Amino acid sequence: MHTHSTPVPDAVTAQLRIIPRDQHIISRRQISQNALRVLYRLHESGHEAYLVGGAVRDLLVGLVPKDFDIATDATPEQVKALFRNCRLIGRRFRLAHVVFGREIIEVATFRANVDDGSGDREVHDGGRLLRDNVYGTIEDDAVRRDFTANALYYAIADFSVRDYTGGYEDVQNRVMRLIGDPETRYREDPVRMLRAVRLAAKLDFTIEPGTAEPIPRLASLLSEAAPARLFEECLKLFLSGHAVASFEQLERYGLLPALFPESAAALASNRSGALRAIVLAGLASTDARIAAGDPVSPAFLFATLLWPAFCRTWMKLQADGVHAVEAQRRAADRVTLHQLSTVALPRRFSLPMQEIWLLQARFPLRQRKRVTRTLSHPRFRAAFDFLVLRQTASDAHSADVAFWEEAQHDPDNAIALYPGEDEADGEADAPRKRRRRRRAPVAAG
Ligand code: ATP
Ligand code: MG
C-alpha cells in the first residue's frame, strides 16, 4: 500500500466544533503535572499545544488516563530546544519524548497523511522509499487518526476541546466510529480491527454499525500484521482489566482465529464448552487480579489462551499413538511454535507457559518425593492457580486441588488426608501408563 495514494478519504472534511471549558468535564486537576508543564511551555513559546488522543477520550468518560500525549505545531527540533529533558526518537516519524523520571510525555508534531503508526511496512514506490512524513495542520492530524473518539484535542490556550470529526458527540453516545471509509481504514492497518474491539471493551462503548460491519469479513487481514505488534496488542487486550469483555468481543467479531488459530479451532470443536469455560475463568481471574492491584503475568495469560490448542494437540498426538508424557512435551512445543506466526510470544513468557502446562500432569502424583519436587518447582504456584481454573470447568480436579491446597502447608498431612492414586504409582511404568491414559480426556475438560 502506498500511503501517498491513499490519503485521508475525500469524504472526510474536517469541520471544527469547539466545546468551551464550561461545557465539558475535563479539568486541569486530572491532567498530569508534567503534561501541563509541557503544554504551558509550548504555549508560552508561541506554539499551539494540545492534549490529544486516548487521554482526552478517557477524561471525557471519567477514566484516569494511562499516559498523556501532546500534539503541537512545533517541530521535534523546536521541542527539543525547549526542554533539557527531551530526546528525539523514531526514524520515519520523529517524536519528542520529554522525560520526567518515570513519566514520559510524548510530543508529536501535527502530521498530514496516513500513517498507521505500526512500523509494519516501509512505504515503497517502485523500490523508492517515500519520505511522506510531512508535517501538517491540526485538521490533517485529526483525520489521520483511527476513531473519532481518539481525535479530540484539549487546548491549553483556552481549555476548550477541539473536535474535527464528530468525536465529542460519539464519546457522549459511547460509540466507536472509524474516521473515513471503514474498509479503507482497516485495509491500511488491520490492527485497527483489534483496536475497535479493545477500546469498545475497555470503554464499554458500542461499535458503530458501519465500523463493525467489515470486521468479520476482513479479520483474516490481520495475518499481514507483524506478530510482535500483535503480541503487544494482546497484552493491551487481556492485561488491562477487561480481558473477559475483550475475549467476548473478539469472538463476536470473528477475530479469535486471526490471533489464536489453533485455540479457536479447539474451542469450536469442543461441544461441552469446557475449554471455553476454562479460558473465561482464567480471564476473569486476570481481571480480578488487576482490579485488586495484584500482579499478572503474560505467561499465565497465554497458558490460559492457548490451553485449548495445547489440549487438542496433546489429544491428537495420543490418538496417533504417542505416549502421554511425550505427547504432552511435543504438544507444548508445537503449539508454542505455531503460535509464533500470528502472535509472537517471547521466549521469556513461552517457557514458563509451557512449565505451567507440563506441571498439570504432575498434580495427580502424590508420592512423597514427587510432592516435594513439585512444590519446589519455581512455577508451582502459577501451575496450581491454573489447576484451580481447570477445576471450575470440571469436578475431576477437585481432589487434586484439595490435596495441593493442603500440601502447601503440610505435605505429610496432605498425603495422609488424600492418599489418592499414588500408592500404585511407585516407579512402576505399567500402572502409570494406564492411569495417564484414563486421565487424558479429563485435560480437555
Ligand atoms: P490506550 O492508550 O488507552 O490503549 P490510545 O487511544 O491512547 O488507547 P495509543 O496506542 O496510545 O491508543 O494511540 C494514541 C493515539 O494515536 C490514538 O488515540 C489515536 O489517535 C492514534 N492512533 C493509534 N493507533 C492508531 C492507528 N492504528 N491508526 C490511526 N491512529 C492511531
Ligand atoms: Mg495511549
Side-chain angles (χ1 to χ4, degrees):
M1 174 171 325
H2 309 279
T3 56
H4 70 299
S5 61
T6 51
V8 167
D10 301 333
V12 179
T13 40
Q15 230 182 18
L16 174 61
R17 174 183 170 200
I18 297 178
I19 300 96
R21 170 61 192 102
D22 59 354
Q23 287 173 37
H24 65 72
I25 66 166
I26 298 179
S27 133
R28 271 167 291 164
R29 281 198 309 274
Q30 304 160 301
I31 300 171
S32 110
Q33 285 302 314
N34 294 325
L36 286 174
R37 244 172 242 146
V38 176
L39 287 165
Y40 281 127
R41 171 69 75 68
L42 286 165
H43 181 59
E44 286 156 11
S45 311
H47 295 291
E48 288 184 62
Y50 302 89
L51 197 63
V52 67
V56 180
R57 176 201 69 209
D58 288 356
L59 289 171
L60 286 174
V61 294
L63 295 177
V64 178
K66 290 200 291 353
D67 40 39
F68 294 87
D69 295 338
I70 290 173
T72 180
D73 61 354
T75 64
E77 290 71 22
Q78 287 174 319
V79 176
K80 186 164 172 54
L82 285 176
F83 300 94
R84 259 186 309 138
N85 47 334
C86 175
R87 48 171 201 249
L88 300 187
I89 61 148
R91 213 159 40 91
R92 277 177 63 208
F93 296 102
R94 308 210 83 192
L95 289 172
H97 276 182
V98 188
V99 183
F100 300 89
R102 292 178 54 199
E103 188 178 18
I104 294 176
I105 306 295
E106 188 171 290
V107 184
T109 308
F110 297 143
R111 291 205 305 257
N113 232 318
V114 172
D115 169 52
D116 56 24
S118 69
D120 271 3
R121 42 179 113 77
E122 296 276 279
V123 182
H124 290 277
D125 181 13
R128 188 165 52 96
L129 181 67
L130 292 172
R131 288 275 158 205
D132 58 349
N133 177 18
V134 287
Y135 299 127
T137 63
I138 185 171
E139 291 91 337
D140 297 328
D141 194 76
V143 296
R144 74 167 173 87
R145 292 176 185 272
D146 47 7
F147 302 96
T148 61
N150 288 349
L152 293 167
Y153 296 74
Y154 171 86
I156 202 65
D158 60 3
F159 315 124
S160 68
V161 170
R162 312 285 175 96
D163 177 7
Y164 295 89
T165 64
Y168 190 79
E169 205 179 309
D170 284 340
V171 170
Q172 303 306 309
N173 296 328
R174 306 190 85 87
V175 167
M176 295 302 300
R177 182 195 310 272
L178 269 173
I179 299 168
D181 172 58
E183 177 153 351
T184 308
R185 303 301 313 274
Y186 290 136
R187 288 188 181 279
E188 282 168 7
D189 179 12
V191 173
R192 288 175 182 148
M193 293 186 273
L194 294 178
R195 289 177 54 83
V197 156
R198 171 168 73 80
L199 292 171
K202 162 180 160 163
L203 301 162
D204 195 21
F205 278 26
T206 57
I207 305 177
E208 177 268 327
T211 298
E213 180 276 322
I215 298 180
R217 271 192 298 121
L218 302 180
S220 63
L221 292 179
L222 275 168
S223 63
E224 291 171 16
R229 185 176 174 213
L230 292 184
F231 172 71
E232 293 301 322
E233 205 54 39
C234 278
L235 296 185
K236 291 192 187 177
L237 275 161
F238 299 111
L239 295 183
S240 306
H242 315 278
V244 170
S246 291
F247 185 85
E248 287 170 351
Q249 294 268 14
L250 290 171
E251 274 185 320
R252 172 169 175 198
Y253 291 104
L255 289 166
L256 221 44
L259 290 179
F260 311 109
E262 295 188 350
S263 272
L267 288 168
S269 63
N270 177 233
R271 265 179 285 142
S272 73
L275 288 174
R276 186 171 182 275
I278 292 170
V279 171
L280 286 175
L283 299 179
S285 88
T286 302
D287 288 346
R289 291 185 67 95
I290 288 169
D294 294 336
V296 289
S297 88
F300 190 87
L301 170 69
F302 279 83
T304 303
L305 291 167
L306 297 179
W307 177 250
F310 170 74
C311 287
R312 187 170 190 243
T313 308
W314 181 27
M315 307 268 268
K316 268 192 188 154
L317 286 166
Q318 285 186 96
D320 291 348
V322 182
H323 179 276
V325 176
E326 175 62 15
Q328 227 177 12
R329 213 176 302 280
R330 273 197 229 169
D333 283 342
R334 197 175 289 184
V335 168
T336 305
L337 184 69
H338 289 182
Q339 185 56 40
L340 290 180
S341 61
T342 52
V343 174
L345 181 62
R347 271 178 74 80
R348 68 179 184 283
F349 301 128
S350 65
L351 291 179
M353 170 187 79
Q354 293 182 334
E355 289 175 327
I356 289 169
W357 289 341
L358 298 179
L359 275 166
Q360 301 305 308
R362 290 213 215 158
F363 287 134
L365 310 179
R366 299 188 194 154
Q367 199 195 30
R368 188 63 173 86
K369 238 193 289 179
R370 286 181 184 276
V371 169
T372 307
R373 212 189 310 151
T374 301
L375 283 170
S376 64
H377 193 286
R379 223 59 63 196
F380 168 78
R381 186 65 220 187
F384 175 74
D385 288 346
F386 198 84
L387 177 68
V388 173
L389 289 187
R390 296 171 65 206
Q391 185 201 13
T392 63
S394 161
D395 289 340
H397 307 294
S398 44
D400 285 344
V401 169
F403 175 86
W404 290 100
E405 190 78 70
E406 178 60 25
Q408 291 174 65
H409 310 292
D410 186 346
D412 291 317
N413 192 43
I415 291 167
L417 281 175
Y418 310 95
E421 312 158 40
D422 249 44
E423 284 88 342
D425 183 55
E427 302 311 321
D429 224 30
R432 199 187 323 166
K433 254 192 220 160
R434 207 184 314 125
R435 183 169 41 73
R436 285 246 170 81
R437 209 174 296 137
R438 187 152 36 84
R439 297 191 64 90
V442 171

